[in-house]
Structure formats: structure tokens, C-alpha cells
């Protein structure tokens, strides 16, 4: 059973870069069965997919965030990362890392989530 | 971009059957997944590929998908089923993961 754990600062200043990492255990991040993704949830709101990455390094980004987002993967250390540049208050959210299985992207494992607050 | 529409809230009495819908253009041609999220917790997969249940999910949870509507059905609801429920698809035309806005299930 996969386990995912987010880590990173809980407070980021406006206009700076939000950086989070996700450690994967219980399986290999190089598995061809999975994509690895970031999903966020603003307080009291719904789920918003940010982007995903395959072990090969191929990335998929939400159109509205594409200019500010970079997702990378380190197969040697079994983790992947998120960078969101030029953050604003609206980027305040709980950020989840997750595994997305197969061609239909079933999110079958989630990290516990980490709250990131953007404030000046 | 592809849009999934859910009712903001659904209420049902204990022991009855709750149905939560997820609307999308020709959603019947896509594979729909459903997640349960209790307050303060990460979402949990309850139905995948329209109607399959992960191990550990009670058979009170079922799903269907046809035409422009997918439905999550929860039979014999109890207080423990109170949560937000989200539908999700992969939109291959845009290479996007798409979530519905979520439905809050209240057990009266």
C-alpha cells in the first residue's frame, strides 16, 4: 500500500515561491502504473487539480496555473515536488500529493495534506 | 474545458438511500471516480471506473454512469456517511484531471 507524505513551509510570502515535496513509500515512484500529482483545496472549497508527472518526467499542468507551476520527480529518492511561483492570497490552501493510477487517473492514495498560507 | 456539475447538498434520513449526481457532457463515455471527504481529512476513494469499489468500501456504496449523468448511490445511510462527496474524471482532450464541485451529504 502506497503512503505519501507532504513536507514544506506552512507560510509563504506574497509574490514568492511555494515549494513542497512528497515522499512516496510502499512502492516505487518509477512504477509505470502511476502518475504523481498535486491537488489543492482552498478553505471551505472543492478540490482543484494542479498538475501531474509521470516517472518519465512528462508533466501535465492545469491550464490556469501552467505559467506558474513546475512539478519535478526524483526517481532515485522516490519523491516528487511542486513549485508554484508568484503566489497570491488565493493560493492559500491545503495541498495534497497523490498517486493517480492508470489511464483514467484514479486517485487511489492521498497524502494527509499540508496547509500553506500565503501572506505578506 | 470539461465541467462536472454536482448539487451542493443532499439530505436523507437514516436507513434510506441517498443519490448524488454528477453531470457532464456525454459523461457516460468517460470513467468516473468518487471520493468521500470527512471534515479535516484527506479524501478517500469510494468508487472508481463508474461502479467498482476499492477493497474495504462497503457494498452500500455503488455507482452508475450513463448519458450526461453519473450517480453515486449510498444505501442504508447512517451518520457515519455524512461527508462531502466529489466526482472526478480524466479529460483526455485537455489532459486534465477534473473534479466536480462537491456535494455535502447530510443524514437527517
Amino acid at each position: 500500500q502506497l503512503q505519501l507524505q507532504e513536507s514544506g513551509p506552512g507560510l509563504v510570502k506574497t509574490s514568492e515561491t511555494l515549494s513542497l515535496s512528497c515522499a512516496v513509500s510502499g512502492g516505487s515512484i518509477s512504477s509505470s502504473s502511476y502518475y504523481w500529482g498535486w491537488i489543492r483545496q482552498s478553505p471551505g472549497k472543492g478540490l482543484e487539480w494542479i498538475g501531474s508527472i509521470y516517472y518519465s518526467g512528462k508533466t501535465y499542468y492545469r491550464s490556469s496555473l501552467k505559467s506558474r507551476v513546475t512539478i519535478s520527480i526524483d526517481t532515485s529518492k522516490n519523491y516528487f515536488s511542486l513549485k508554484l511561483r508568484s503566489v497570491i492570497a488565493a493560493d492559500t490552501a491545503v495541498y495534497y500529493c497523490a498517486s493517480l493510477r492508470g489511464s483514467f487517473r484514479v486517485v487511489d492514495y492521498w497524502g494527509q495534506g499540508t496547509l500553506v498560507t500565503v501572506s505578506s | 474545458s470539461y465541467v462536472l456539475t454536482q448539487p451542493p447538498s443532499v439530505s436523507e434520513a437514516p436507513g434510506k438511500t441517498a443519490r448524488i449526481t454528477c453531470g457532464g457532457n456525454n459523461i457516460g463515455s468517460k470513467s468516473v471516480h468518487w471520493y468521500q471527504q470527512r471534515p479535516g481529512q484527506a479524501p478517500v476513494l469510494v468508487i472508481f471506473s463508474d461502479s467498482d469499489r476499492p477493497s474495504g468500501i462497503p457494498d452500500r456504496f455503488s455507482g452508475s454512469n450513463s448519458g450526461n449523468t453519473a450517480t453515486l448511490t449510498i444505501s442504508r445511510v447512517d451518520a457515519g456517511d455524512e461527508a462531502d462527496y466529489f466526482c472526478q474524471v480524466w479529460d483526455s482532450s485537455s489532459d486534465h484531471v477534473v473534479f466536480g464541485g462537491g456535494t455535502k451529504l447530510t443524514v437527517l
Side-chain angles (χ1 to χ4, degrees):
Chain A
Q1 175 161 327
L2 289 174
Q3 293 184 315
L4 297 94
Q5 178 66 58
E6 306 91 350
S7 60
L11 180 63
V12 181
K13 292 186 183 299
T14 304
S15 80
E16 296 190 346
T17 296
L18 179 160
S19 296
L20 295 174
S21 292
C22 181
V24 178
S25 58
S28 173
I29 205 169
S30 297
S31 168
S32 59
S33 299
Y34 281 97
Y35 298 78
W36 307 96
W38 292 94
I39 297 161
R40 70 181 182 180
Q41 187 171 34
S42 300
K45 302 295 186 183
L47 300 170
E48 181 177 72
W49 172 75
I50 298 169
S52 305
I53 190 166
Y54 196 49
Y55 77 96
S56 62
K58 182 171 175 59
T59 52
Y60 306 79
Y61 296 137
R62 185 180 192 85
S63 299
S64 60
L65 298 173
K66 189 172 185 176
S67 64
R68 298 195 292 133
V69 172
T70 300
I71 296 176
S72 58
I73 192 166
D74 188 328
T75 55
S76 65
K77 296 181 180 177
N78 234 39
Y79 80 94
F80 61 105
S81 300
L82 168 71
K83 290 189 185 299
L84 181 63
R85 296 175 290 279
S86 304
V87 295
I88 60 176
D91 293 315
T92 294
V94 174
Y95 285 75
Y96 295 99
C97 62
S99 62
L100 293 82
R101 174 167 48 89
S103 57
F104 295 125
R105 309 299 197 271
V106 181
V107 186
D108 51 4
Y109 294 101
W110 299 70
Q112 65 183 23
T114 186
L115 174 63
V116 179
T117 301
V118 177
S119 175
S120 56
Chain B
S1 59
Y2 195 75
V3 175
L4 295 174
T5 301
Q6 297 183 238
S9 63
V10 166
S11 300
E12 195 50 82
K16 299 297 187 181
T17 298
R19 294 177 178 85
I20 298 171
T21 59
C22 177
N25 183 36
N26 197 26
I27 195 174
S29 67
K30 299 184 182 301
S31 185
V32 180
H33 321 303
W34 290 92
Y35 305 88
Q36 176 194 69
Q37 186 181 35
R38 295 190 172 102
Q41 297 185 17
V44 172
L45 178 69
V46 292
I47 292 289
F48 66 98
S49 298
D50 297 340
S51 59
D52 291 334
R53 274 188 319 277
S55 61
I57 300 300
D59 60 7
R60 298 186 299 107
F61 289 80
S62 62
S64 62
N65 183 20
S66 179
N68 293 318
T69 305
T71 303
L72 172 69
T73 301
I74 309 170
S75 60
R76 304 184 301 281
V77 296
D78 63 31
D81 298 326
E82 282 204 337
D84 293 324
Y85 291 85
F86 296 89
C87 58
Q88 178 245 317
V89 300
W90 167 253
D91 180 31
S92 58
S93 63
S94 62
D95 281 342
H96 274 45
V97 172
V98 180
F99 287 97
T103 298
K104 181 176 182 58
L105 173 64
T106 300
V107 180
L108 301 170

